[in-house]
Amino acid sequence: MNILFFGPNGSGKGTQGALLKKKFGLAHIESGAIFREHIGGGSELGKKAKVFIDRGDLVPDEITIPMVLETLKSKGANGWLLDGFPRNTAQARKLWEEIQKACLKLDYVVEIALPRDIAKKRILGRRLCKNDNNHPNNVQIEAIKPVNGKCRVCGGELSARSDDLDGQAVDKRHDIYYDEENGTLAAARFFKRLAEQGETNYIELNGEGDIQAIMDKLLAALE
Ligand SMILES: [Zn+2]
């Protein structure tokens, strides 16, 4: 099963992706990791990308798209979950063309929808446990609220992640995601139209519920 995943930072997309990965044995392919692997591994595409990154420039689509495709083909033989790419309509269109050229299937496109103000609150509400990064604590989410200011799992000390506390950094990421004309949501709409033409399946989930309820809905929709 091949899935393309959309959702803003703060929507719980990472958690849902990890659960899907475990349940179906999918390769969870995240855009940042694609860059790190190609550049760290010194591939031809990685070398080209590094020139742009070192200059502080965006890596052009002519390099990014083949990198994504190569990773889907090399790691995703048993199914993949692509997360964090594409981020605009041009990338979406090119990715779709290349997926077809490579005879890959795109079985589902999943969007976790969440109002921007709630997504931001959730990001700023995240707390890290000093004993275990995987202990979920969030002062904005009832189900995983810290207990008396301490980790709800182990009672450890909590701290806020510095990048999470930076409201401006959150806004910058969300400016790209929530842009329905030129941003990530525009890319999602591109795939929604493809689904209307019967080319793929589009699953839209309300991200306001709790993690398990959203997962249950997602699994039911994937049957
Ligand atoms: Zn803990």
Side-chain angles (χ1 to χ4, degrees):
M1 188 188 320
N2 298 333
I3 303 172
L4 178 59
F5 222 51
F6 289 103
N9 279 103
S11 65
K13 180 182 57 153
T15 309
Q16 302 294 347
L19 289 169
L20 279 187
K21 174 188 172 175
K22 207 169 151 197
K23 171 130 184 126
F24 297 107
L26 304 175
H28 191 175
I29 296 171
E30 184 264 323
S31 58
I34 295 175
F35 280 108
R36 284 193 295 277
E37 272 171 33
H38 275 268
I39 292 167
S43 75
E44 282 308 310
L45 289 164
K47 283 180 201 161
K48 285 184 192 165
K50 192 172 181 299
V51 175
F52 290 90
I53 292 169
D54 287 347
R55 283 205 303 250
D57 290 335
L58 282 177
V59 181
D61 292 345
E62 295 73 43
I63 297 172
T64 307
I65 306 257
M67 255 189 206
V68 172
L69 257 288
E70 227 173 73
T71 309
L72 294 181
K73 284 190 267 187
S74 63
K75 302 225 156 156
N78 296 317
W80 43 261
L81 180 71
L82 178 60
D83 181 355
F85 189 89
R87 292 190 186 185
N88 60 49
T89 316
Q91 289 179 344
R93 191 172 289 122
K94 281 183 209 157
L95 177 68
W96 174 241
E97 283 171 12
E98 294 301 321
I99 281 177
Q100 286 177 298
K101 265 193 224 163
C103 296
L104 296 174
K105 267 183 73 187
L106 180 58
D107 300 293
Y108 295 99
V109 179
V110 176
E111 180 195 344
I112 300 187
L114 192 65
R116 183 167 175 164
D117 56 330
I118 297 177
K120 183 175 180 180
K121 262 195 203 166
R122 283 190 177 180
I123 296 172
L124 299 183
R126 284 176 190 161
R127 297 294 179 266
L128 279 182
C129 170
K130 75 168 167 71
N131 297 327
D132 189 336
N133 279 345
N134 293 316
H135 288 169
N137 289 277
N138 192 312
V139 297
Q140 294 291 343
I141 300 176
E142 205 50 52
I144 53 170
K145 252 193 184 151
V147 178
N148 299 324
K150 297 279 196 309
C151 173
R152 49 182 286 281
V153 180
C154 72
E157 294 293 329
L158 294 175
S159 62
R161 250 169 46 178
S162 59
D163 59 334
D164 284 351
L165 263 193
D166 183 350
Q168 274 184 331
V170 174
D171 286 341
K172 220 171 153 188
R173 277 182 269 168
H174 280 170
D175 279 345
I176 297 169
Y177 185 84
Y178 283 98
D179 183 341
E180 290 190 56
E181 275 176 39
N182 301 308
T184 311
L185 273 184
R189 297 297 167 264
F190 172 84
F191 287 101
K192 197 173 188 175
R193 286 193 296 277
L194 281 182
E196 284 160 9
Q197 295 157 19
E199 301 276 4
T200 185
N201 299 290
Y202 199 91
I203 299 169
E204 196 170 340
L205 299 163
N206 179 353
E208 288 182 71
D210 70 77
I211 290 167
Q212 191 54 50
I214 296 169
M215 193 66 206
D216 290 344
K217 271 188 202 144
L218 179 51
L219 290 178
L222 290 174
E223 301 298 5

